[in-house]
Amino acid sequence: MTMIADNLQRIHDRIAKTCDKAGRSPNSVALLAVSKTFGADAVVQAHAAGQMAFGENYIQEAVEKIAALSPRLLAHLPMQWHCIGPIQSNKTRLVAEHFDWVQTIDRLKIAQRLSEQRLPHLAPLQVCIQVNMDGGPTKSGVAPEDALELARAVSELPRLCVRGIMCIPEPAPDFVAACAVFSRARALFDQMNSAGMGLDTLSMGMSNDLEAAITSGSTLVRVGSAIFGERG
Ligand SMILES: *Cc1c(COP(=O)(O)O)cnc(C)c1O
């Protein structure tokens, strides 16, 4: 087994163990492999080990990687690409043309551009509203109290499909503190669904805090370094 395949197995074990403890089905949590800064070869290894969904932060880097991989891989097994980094207005076209998901919607204007630029032959772009759950001042994401309004406005756009919310809290000092923040995200998610949003994706949890995120209700963990290694 390659190191990447081995690491993927370890993550699946962590997910399964945490789900078991939390009384959740292991199928209720999906894994996004965050391949930012790693080359197409690393993605090929993960894909060969059964990983289908990949997350990228830097648009230009991602588009080059996707282009390098598409002839080789798309013919056999589909891959799914998630944009999990901030998007400037001048990058929306690249995102709309190359990605399947965007998890970082925090402004209506960016969502509008993505909808206008989504290629007609592609499925609607699947999106999450990024929410700033812990008030980090330099961070992207809408305030929790604004998330429902933004989600409603985005759901009106013809070429976008709102699937859920995503958050990236600051690293917490311990498990209990991490759960406290993630549980607030879960409560917001439930509240938005009570308001009729029909969301199925709560994207939270990374290499170091996926247990707390899953315990609190995450349906999608985004794991980079624990799969591909430390980033340089
Ligand atoms: C880099 C990144 C991750 C993965 O972080 P790791 O700690 O390497 O698992 C997840 N989500 C986002 C938004 C990221 O930028």
Side-chain angles (χ1 to χ4, degrees), residues 14-15 18 175 179 206-216:
R14 281 171 68 186
I15 292 171
T18 310
F175 182 81
C179 286
M206 313 200 296
S207 294
N208 292 328
D209 57 10
L210 68 87
E211 282 82 3
I214 291 170
T215 302
S216 309

Side-chain angles (χ1 to χ4, degrees), residues 6-223:
D6 211 24
N7 288 344
L8 275 168
Q9 189 53 53
R10 267 187 250 276
I11 296 297
H12 285 299
D13 291 346
R14 281 171 68 186
I15 292 171
K17 194 169 159 211
T18 310
C19 283
D20 189 45
K21 266 196 194 164
R24 299 182 56 184
S25 154
N27 304 328
S28 65
V29 181
L31 173 60
L32 182 70
V34 178
S35 45
K36 65 183 175 201
T37 78
F38 290 92
D41 53 329
V43 174
V44 168
Q45 281 185 48
H47 193 249
Q51 180 63 31
M52 305 284 266
F54 295 88
E56 291 281 340
N57 290 55
Y58 311 107
I59 313 304
Q60 197 62 49
E61 177 197 330
V63 166
E64 283 163 26
K65 218 177 287 182
I66 294 168
L69 289 164
S70 52
R72 173 161 182 187
L73 293 170
L74 291 182
H76 314 290
L77 280 171
M79 298 177 103
Q80 199 184 65
W81 292 93
H82 292 230
C83 175
I84 58 170
I87 304 173
Q88 261 90 51
S89 301
N90 63 357
K91 290 285 178 5
T92 51
R93 184 174 297 281
L94 281 176
V95 173
E97 290 177 352
H98 295 277
F99 283 86
D100 303 293
W101 282 66
V102 173
Q103 298 198 14
T104 47
I105 299 293
D106 63 357
R107 281 183 290 158
L108 183 57
K109 184 178 150 226
I110 295 292
Q112 285 166 334
R113 290 177 64 94
L114 289 170
S115 183
E116 283 160 16
Q117 294 167 344
R118 183 66 170 169
L119 295 176
H121 68 277
L122 295 177
L125 200 51
Q126 309 297 301
V127 304
C128 292
I129 305 298
Q130 184 177 350
V131 186
N132 182 348
M133 288 311 304
D134 54 1
T138 60
K139 255 198 296 173
S140 321
V142 283
E145 58 271 26
D146 298 329
L148 179 59
E149 190 187 334
L150 179 58
R152 282 198 166 125
V154 173
S155 69
E156 299 291 318
L157 299 171
R159 302 290 290 140
L160 263 48
C161 177
V162 180
R163 297 291 297 272
I165 62 176
M166 177 275 226
C167 64
I168 320 172
E170 291 300 318
D174 55 43
F175 182 81
V176 172
C179 286
V181 180
F182 287 136
S183 297
R184 282 195 273 121
R186 168 62 193 269
L188 175 63
F189 178 77
D190 289 345
Q191 195 186 322
M192 291 169 74
N193 274 335
S194 300
M197 285 305 305
L199 309 177
D200 63 6
T201 302
L202 178 55
S203 171
M204 58 188 193
M206 313 200 296
S207 294
N208 292 328
D209 57 10
L210 68 87
E211 282 82 3
I214 291 170
T215 302
S216 309
S218 171
T219 69
L220 179 64
V221 291
R222 310 177 307 266
V223 179

